[in-house]
């Protein structure tokens, strides 16, 4: 079946440093979504990418969708303590209905 | 709108007991989902529903059952609870007009933390 892997699994950074998480799918995706889950919370939608090579920005967050639509990345510039949490990518598949396959997640810790 | 609500927030079960996790949404979403999240892991799809009266298995359906008699409610039933079912359970919903190629945004409930001893 479809697998979506993320690296790294954990990342500790000092506040102000940059952070990147990478998402790789075993199959071509129709779209990719990113979610953030705060400690003890539930996943919250951040953004969706649909087009090959698409890049979207939300303030300090930059999201990219690979040319082959099999990988994606999330980059955070100048991390803040409010960025703490686990970031999940989730891929949709053409013909897969409305289902998403969630990645393994990257847990981000930000130290002062 | 309350969004997606789940009850209970936390429950301890003994091995072999059964229980129903409740999920409701007030956004008139046609799709609903149940996921489990084990510590430090991603989300695994248990069951999903494309509308009232229609359900289908996800990745990890064994040991669970669902029903969808109304658009709003999507309860998850655990029969004969086992320690392997200790997890956090999230219900989610989304809306799709159909015919689209891309999966739609999912809205999650706050989760139910289940401990089976």
């Amino acid at each position: 079946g479809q697998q979506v892997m993320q690296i790294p699994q954990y990342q500790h950074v000092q506040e102000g440093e940059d952070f990147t998480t990478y998402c790789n799918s075993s199959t071509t995706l129709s779209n990719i979504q990113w979610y953030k889950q705060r400690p003890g919370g539930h996943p919250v939608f951040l953004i969706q990418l649909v087009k090959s090579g698409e890049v979207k920005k939300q303030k300090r967050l930059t999201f990219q969708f690979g040319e082959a639509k099999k990988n994606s990345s999330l980059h955070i510039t100048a991390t803040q303590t409010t960025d703490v949490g686990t970031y999940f990518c989730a891929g949709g598949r053409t013909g897969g209905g409305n289902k998403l396959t969630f990645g393994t997640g990257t847990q981000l810790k930000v130290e002062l | 709108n309350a969004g997606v609500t789940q009850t209970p927030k936390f429950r301890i079960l003994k091995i072999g007991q059964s229980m129903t996790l409740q999920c409701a949404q007030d956004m008139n979403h046609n799709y609903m989902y149940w996921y489990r999240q084990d510590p430090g892991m991603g989300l695994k799809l248990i069951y999903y529903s494309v509308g009232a009266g229609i359900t289908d298995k996800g990745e990890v359906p064994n040991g669970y059952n669902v029903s969808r008699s109304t658009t709003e409610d999507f309860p998850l039933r655990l029969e004969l609870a086992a320690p392997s079912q200790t997890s956090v359970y999230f219900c989610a919903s989304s809306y799709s007009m159909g015919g689209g190629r891309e999966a739609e945004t999912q809205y999650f409930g706050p989760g139910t933390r289940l401990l089976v001893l």
Side-chain angles (χ1 to χ4, degrees), chain A residues 11 13-21 35-39 46 58-63 74-88 106-112:
Chain A
Q11 185 81 59
V13 299
Q14 295 289 322
E15 189 176 42
E17 291 181 339
D18 292 354
F19 159 77
T20 304
T21 173
Y35 291 77
K36 178 183 178 181
Q37 183 178 25
R38 294 184 187 276
L46 293 176
Q58 285 181 350
K59 297 182 180 177
R60 293 177 295 105
L61 279 62
T62 302
F63 303 83
L74 158 60
H75 179 81
I76 302 178
T77 303
T79 55
Q80 300 175 357
T81 54
T82 53
D83 295 325
V84 165
T86 301
Y87 293 85
F88 292 99
T106 295
Q107 185 178 347
L108 173 64
K109 293 191 175 180
V110 181
E111 299 171 355
L112 292 171

Side-chain angles (χ1 to χ4, degrees), chain A residues 9-10 30-31 33 35 37 40-43 45 48 50 69 88 92-95 97-100 102-104, chain B residues 31 33 35 37 40-43 45 48 57 59 90 94-96 101-111 113:
Chain A
Q9 189 174 5
Y10 303 99
S30 59
N31 62 320
Q33 298 177 10
Y35 291 77
Q37 183 178 25
H42 60 276
F45 173 78
Q48 174 169 271
V50 177
K69 301 184 77 173
F88 292 99
R93 186 168 55 87
T94 301
N98 220 23
K99 292 183 291 183
L100 291 169
F102 279 80
T104 46
Chain B
Y31 282 75
Y33 316 82
Y35 294 92
Q37 184 177 35
M41 303 292 286
L43 296 153
L45 183 65
Y48 68 101
K57 296 178 180 179
E59 272 182 276
F90 288 103
S94 67
Y95 178 75
S96 173
R101 296 177 61 245
E102 297 90 27
E104 301 292 340
T105 302
Q106 294 186 13
Y107 297 83
F108 284 80
R113 194 171 299 270

